[in-house]
Amino acid sequence: MSSPAPQPAPASPGGLWITFEGGDGSGKTTQATRLEEWLSGEGRTVVRTREPGGTAVGNLVRDIVLHHRGDIAPRAEALLYAADRAHHVATLVQPALARGEVVIQDRYLDSSVAYQGAGRVLDPGQIRDLSLWATGGALPDLTVLLDLDPAAARHRLDADDKPFDRLEAEQADFHTRVREAYLELAHAEPDRFLVLDATRPVEELADSVRTRVAALLS
Ligand code: TYD
């Protein structure tokens, strides 16, 4: 890209945008569900969504990136995730935030930086800029990173007995690089990230997330 990427936009006007990040098997979905239940109980309107996916177009992209048999060129893969993201933010996330709702989302651009960057073929900074361009610089108010050793994560995934998707099937060193990339991202943006040790009990983790979200809402 020749022109500079847009500066990240300030967080959501009116609403609250929370993303969950972490390696496969780190418990994002469980924690997102706990948070959704709590916020709904508090009377907030919650939109629960995910990337890739979250929209009809996004689900088509999800099918390609997760289930296509055979290779996808790394730049094509990065563009597919960014295309999904552009459509998702424009048609689902931003309208919900503009209505003053809370958006709880499994994965966002940090996933692209960690996963596509971890292949070491693509530059993480360029991947981030690509997503920021795609979304007009939109960044969440809070990103919860569930940090987990990849060996422990693999153990959890094996116990699930579900078929692996393309990314889950990558080798252990790939997942170690993903974890390191996530921790670097969190280190670079300490205000946006809440990093939690994903081996802690589910209820304790849910409590930590609630505490942070409650502070943001007040
Ligand atoms: P996820 O929906 O968490 O998988 P599951 O439903 O099986 O828990 O994520 C799907 C995969 O997509 C995951 O392995 C990470 C990968 N991914 C990327 O590589 N880049 C991205 O930008 C995103 C959003 C996901």
Side-chain angles (χ1 to χ4, degrees):
M1 252 171 291
S2 55
S3 61
Q7 285 303 303
S12 357
L16 190 70
W17 186 15
I18 303 154
T19 57
F20 282 82
E21 294 282 358
D24 298 282
S26 58
K28 296 180 304 301
T29 307
T30 304
Q31 288 304 323
T33 303
R34 291 297 160 113
L35 182 62
E36 179 184 13
E37 287 166 357
W38 176 67
L39 283 166
S40 301
E42 296 286 299
R44 304 287 305 210
T45 303
V46 177
V47 174
R48 178 76 185 281
T49 187
R50 67 174 179 182
E51 290 185 5
T55 63
V57 168
N59 281 326
L60 294 171
V61 176
R62 183 178 177 92
D63 203 37
I64 301 171
V65 287
L66 297 189
H67 304 301
H68 171 73
R69 290 167 191 236
D71 286 341
I72 301 177
R75 281 168 195 262
E77 185 183 65
L79 286 163
L80 284 165
Y81 282 113
D84 164 54
R85 187 158 295 136
H87 186 72
H88 185 224
V89 166
T91 66
L92 192 140
V93 176
Q94 276 171 341
L97 295 174
R99 291 191 300 267
E101 296 169 3
V102 179
V103 176
I104 300 178
Q105 180 172 328
D106 275 32
R107 299 193 180 281
Y108 186 53
L109 87 170
D110 304 297
S111 280
S112 278
V113 178
Y115 280 80
Q116 278 62 63
R120 295 225 188 282
V121 185
L122 301 173
D123 173 65
Q126 285 185 347
I127 293 174
R128 183 182 154 89
D129 286 349
L130 176 69
S131 279
L132 288 173
W133 176 81
T135 62
L139 280 174
D141 299 283
L142 172 67
T143 297
V144 179
L145 172 59
L146 292 162
D147 177 50
L148 185 62
D149 172 55
R154 176 53 54 137
H155 197 70
R156 289 186 182 181
L157 290 173
D158 287 345
D160 268 359
D161 199 25
K162 282 194 307 193
F164 286 148
D165 64 39
R166 288 178 60 247
L167 281 301
E168 285 168 349
E170 286 282 352
Q171 298 305 309
D173 61 334
F174 175 87
H175 292 286
T176 302
R177 292 201 298 275
V178 168
R179 183 192 193 189
E180 284 165 2
Y182 268 134
L183 291 172
E184 276 173 33
L185 286 167
H187 186 71
E189 281 182 83
D191 291 344
R192 174 162 69 92
F193 275 88
L194 171 66
V195 183
L196 298 174
D197 171 357
T199 62
R200 285 168 57 203
V202 168
E203 274 317 317
E204 255 185 59
L205 291 168
D207 218 43
S208 299
V209 175
R210 277 197 296 267
T211 304
R212 177 63 86 88
V213 171
L216 286 172
L217 285 170
S218 66

